[in-house]
Amino acid sequence: MSTAFLEHVNVTVTDPEATAKRLEDWFGWKVRWKGAALNGGTTYHIGNETSYIAAYSPSNDTTPVTGESYSHHGGLNHIAVVVDDLDATEKRIRAGGYKTHNHQDYEPGRRFYFDDDDGIEFEIVSYE
């Protein structure tokens, strides 16, 4: 078995500080680093000791990705996060005004999905 693991995913967002706050609220993660980034932008690394999401915003305005990503090469389809308590996590997400969908319960775990402020789809999974 390989010891390789996914360290981070880097996504472009409209407001990396606001994205960091939401990820902290939803998952209990912390900002590991923040600072200047490519093209005069800003990046926040939000996660735990082993992995994180890099929320990047360039200095100029960005445009949203339109349409679904599943038919595009290189499309970001969703980011999956494993949590201990699926129901408590969903309550926190819904309390922020987000609509959850595609609730599924099949081996090996339960899951649901939602879209954040930048249209990034998250899959939330529990194997408990």
Side-chain angles (χ1 to χ4, degrees):
M1 181 101 174
S2 173
T3 58
F5 67 94
L6 181 64
E7 182 202 30
H8 75 273
V9 59
N10 186 316
V11 294
T12 299
V13 299
T14 53
D15 184 343
E17 184 176 11
T19 298
K21 176 72 172 113
R22 288 191 302 270
L23 294 171
E24 289 175 331
D25 292 346
W26 296 336
F27 308 125
W29 291 347
K30 300 296 178 204
V31 173
R32 296 171 36 147
W33 177 86
K34 64 182 177 181
L38 180 70
N39 297 325
T42 302
T43 297
Y44 278 64
H45 293 179
I46 315 99
N48 60 29
E49 304 80 33
T50 59
S51 64
Y52 62 94
I53 292 176
Y56 164 77
S57 182
S59 60
N60 57 330
D61 289 338
T62 59
T63 57
V65 174
T66 58
E68 59 84 22
S69 60
Y70 286 88
S71 62
H72 296 74
H73 291 264
L76 173 66
N77 299 321
H78 60 260
I79 298 172
V81 178
V82 177
V83 298
D84 292 331
D85 188 333
L86 190 71
D87 297 325
T89 302
E90 184 172 15
K91 284 180 186 173
R92 286 192 301 275
I93 290 166
R94 292 176 60 93
Y98 300 91
K99 295 181 179 159
T100 59
H101 57 88
N102 288 357
H103 293 76
Q104 299 172 13
D105 185 357
Y106 57 84
E107 289 298 324
R110 296 173 48 222
R111 68 201 69 238
F112 68 87
Y113 297 78
F114 74 98
D115 297 332
D116 79 350
D117 296 49
D118 290 300
I120 298 169
E121 184 176 60
F122 282 83
E123 176 184 0
I124 311 303
V125 184
S126 178
Y127 296 113
E128 297 295 316

